[in-house]
């Protein structure tokens, strides 16, 4: 799909990812307009001040919640591409407020799918998370359901010209709620130690730029029904702490409810339908509900059936020195303090 000339709507558009993808699309492409759809009027005000003067009428703002189907109907009018980034994501908070998670992450996803079909949107890209793979938290469970719905959404579209794809990645370095700004805050507050839930814990290192580039790849080439998975190096949380302040004490405080030791992006159950590309994997749909012929893009290599993609078993790792280099390029979400 050619992005130029298209009208794009980003749900959750005032979040870390939403702001970055909006800026990239406006700077590197020529969309007719980008609509920021979110429920936080103050963050919309900040984003409008940041980008509005430069991009003017190409950037629009729509207050609303994905729980509100009628509001989505209004917002999706004339939209060609939807990037669905809105979600409740804080694992401990959602364990305590499960119904709220379901309302936003599942019911909200249903609304996005239904309205996209009704408004004849051409393409929908839904953001996923590693926590949707073998979920142990309520957040992961809701995102698993959301992923399944978007993957199968073309079955509801009939003959309409619309495709739904999913992009999956883990925590983005520097984003709200991630470990880098958390450790940075502890350093600024002159805390006595870094609390690490488990010294064995690992994560993937993904920059905001890489996350955005994968979503744009899915917009351009996604056929519908597939899951794009970012390829990233792994790191140990304890090595990150040493890289950020080698003198601060590190304490193991115990794993939190719903927290995993490692980020898992693909399991061996996915392997039979997964192809590897230079910068990402693609897992294709398993069901025969879609009449459109599946075309495997050139350059893909079928992975082994025993393959799984986890931050704990990854083949590419960042050591402390390399983490230090990466930290220099991390965009810390300045909206964390709002």
């Amino acid at each position: 799909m050619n992005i130029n000339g298209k009208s794009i709507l980003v749900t959750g558009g005032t979040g870390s990812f939403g702001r970055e993808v909006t800026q990239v699309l406006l700077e590197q492409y020529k969309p007719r307009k980008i609509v920021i759809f979110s429920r936080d009027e103050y963050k919309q005000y900040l984003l409008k001040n940041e980008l509005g003067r430069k991009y003017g009428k190409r950037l629009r703002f729509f207050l609303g919640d994905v729980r509100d189907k009628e509001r989505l109907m209004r917002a999706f009018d004339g939209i060609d591409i939807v990037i669905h980034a809105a979600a409740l994501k804080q694992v401990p908070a959602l364990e305590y407020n499960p119904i709220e998670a379901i309302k936003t992450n599942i019911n909200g996803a249903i609304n996005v799918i239904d309205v996209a079909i009704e408004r004849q949107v051409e393409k929908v890209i839904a953001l996923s998370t590693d926590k949707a793979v073998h979920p142990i938290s309520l957040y992961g469970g809701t995102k698993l359901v959301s992923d399944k719905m978007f993957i199968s959404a073309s079955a509801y579209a009939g003959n309409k010209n619309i495709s739904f794809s999913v992009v999956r990645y883990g925590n983005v370095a520097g984003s709200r709620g991630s470990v880098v700004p958390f450790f940075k805050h502890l350093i600024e507050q002159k805390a006595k130690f870094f609390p690490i839930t488990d010294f064995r814990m690992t994560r993937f290192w993904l920059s905001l730029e890489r996350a955005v580039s994968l979503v744009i790849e899915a917009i351009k080439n996604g056929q519908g029904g597939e899951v794009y998975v970012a390829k990233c190096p792994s790191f140990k949380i304890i090595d990150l702490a040493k890289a950020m302040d080698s003198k601060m004490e590190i304490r193991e405080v115990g794993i939190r409810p719903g927290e995993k030791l490692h980020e898992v992006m693909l399991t061996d159950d996915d392997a039979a339908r997964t192809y590897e590309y230079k910068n990402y994997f693609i897992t294709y749909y398993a069901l025969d509900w879609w009449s459109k012929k599946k075309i495997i893009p050139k350059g893909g290599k079928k992975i082994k059936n025993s393959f799984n993609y986890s931050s704990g078993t990854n083949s590419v790792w960042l050591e402390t020195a390399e983490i230090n280099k990466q930290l220099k390029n991390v965009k810390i979400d300045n909206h964390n303090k709002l």
Side-chain angles (χ1 to χ4, degrees):
M1 169 180 274
N2 187 352
I3 294 173
N4 295 333
K6 300 296 185 181
S7 295
I8 304 169
L9 182 143
V10 185
T11 70
T14 53
S16 306
F17 173 86
R19 293 196 311 278
E20 182 73 13
V21 75
T22 297
Q23 189 160 352
V24 169
L25 288 170
L26 288 169
E27 289 178 351
Q28 300 181 15
Y29 300 89
K30 296 179 180 178
R32 189 168 73 86
K33 66 178 178 180
I34 296 182
V35 178
I36 302 299
F37 184 92
S38 73
R39 62 186 184 179
D40 192 320
E41 76 278 13
Y42 182 54
K43 290 179 183 176
Q44 286 195 8
Y45 165 78
L46 293 175
L47 186 57
K48 187 174 183 179
N49 283 346
E50 182 182 344
L51 300 178
R53 291 180 182 178
K54 183 176 181 179
Y55 298 106
K57 293 183 179 180
R58 293 172 63 198
L59 186 60
R60 312 285 179 82
F61 293 87
F62 230 98
L63 278 174
D65 195 311
V66 293
R67 299 181 183 190
D68 186 343
K69 190 172 183 179
E70 291 184 4
R71 189 61 172 162
L72 285 174
M73 282 291 293
R74 179 66 64 189
F76 279 29
D77 189 17
I79 295 297
D80 303 305
I81 301 168
V82 171
I83 302 173
H84 179 48
L88 294 179
K89 303 174 183 179
Q90 295 295 326
V91 171
L94 300 190
E95 293 294 311
Y96 189 71
N97 301 276
I99 294 175
E100 298 306 305
I102 292 167
K103 288 178 180 177
T104 296
N105 297 353
I106 296 179
N107 296 347
I110 294 171
N111 290 339
V112 168
I113 292 167
D114 286 345
V115 175
I117 294 171
E118 187 69 23
R119 285 300 196 188
Q120 299 186 29
V121 170
E122 295 179 42
K123 181 158 289 190
V124 178
I125 307 296
L127 302 193
S128 181
T129 169
D130 63 287
K131 296 173 182 63
V133 181
H134 287 173
I136 62 171
S137 66
L138 183 82
Y139 169 53
T142 61
K143 291 301 286 184
L144 170 63
V145 174
S146 174
D147 287 0
K148 294 289 187 181
M149 291 190 297
F150 279 105
I151 290 167
S152 299
S154 295
Y156 294 93
N159 294 322
K160 289 185 173 65
N161 183 30
I162 182 172
S163 68
F164 297 84
S165 300
V166 173
V167 173
R168 179 185 298 153
Y169 52 79
N171 289 326
V172 174
S175 63
R176 279 180 295 165
S178 64
V179 66
V180 172
F182 173 61
F183 281 176
K184 183 174 182 290
H185 175 73
L186 291 177
I187 293 170
E188 291 171 349
Q189 296 298 312
K190 297 183 179 180
K192 294 182 179 180
F193 64 92
F194 285 128
I196 295 180
T197 55
D198 192 297
F199 287 166
R200 300 169 295 169
M201 187 168 287
T202 67
R203 290 293 182 263
F204 287 109
W205 186 278
L206 179 70
S207 68
L208 199 51
E209 294 85 353
R210 283 286 307 280
V212 168
S213 68
L214 187 57
V215 168
I216 291 175
E217 172 69 24
I219 292 173
K220 290 179 176 179
N221 298 312
Q223 303 172 66
E226 69 272 85
V227 178
Y228 284 77
V229 176
K231 291 174 72 174
C232 315
S234 294
F235 68 97
K236 295 178 180 179
I237 299 295
I238 194 170
D239 288 339
L240 172 66
K242 293 174 182 177
M244 294 188 70
D245 190 333
S246 60
K247 296 180 180 179
M248 189 178 291
E249 181 188 351
I250 299 172
R251 294 183 188 176
E252 192 173 42
V253 296
I255 202 162
R256 298 177 299 174
E259 189 175 33
K260 290 184 176 182
L261 277 177
H262 311 290
E263 287 183 330
V264 181
M265 299 287 194
L266 293 167
T267 70
D268 49 10
D269 296 314
D270 302 311
R273 308 185 311 279
T274 300
Y275 286 74
E276 181 178 3
Y277 296 83
K278 182 179 179 180
N279 296 318
Y280 53 84
F281 302 94
I282 299 179
T283 298
Y284 293 93
Y285 51 90
L287 304 177
D288 295 327
W289 44 258
W290 201 18
S291 60
K292 186 176 180 180
K293 185 178 179 181
K294 179 167 52 181
I295 300 173
I296 307 299
K298 292 181 180 180
K301 179 183 178 182
K302 178 72 172 56
I303 64 174
K304 296 179 180 179
N305 288 341
S306 59
F307 179 83
N308 70 80
Y309 191 47
S310 163
S311 63
T313 58
N314 197 6
S315 59
V316 182
W317 287 82
L318 298 179
E319 303 298 336
T320 304
E322 184 61 29
I323 294 173
N324 262 315
K325 294 180 183 179
Q326 295 290 338
L327 284 169
K328 295 177 182 178
N329 299 317
V330 169
K331 292 183 178 180
I332 299 294
D333 189 341
N334 292 323
H335 292 66
N336 278 298
K337 297 180 181 179
L338 296 181

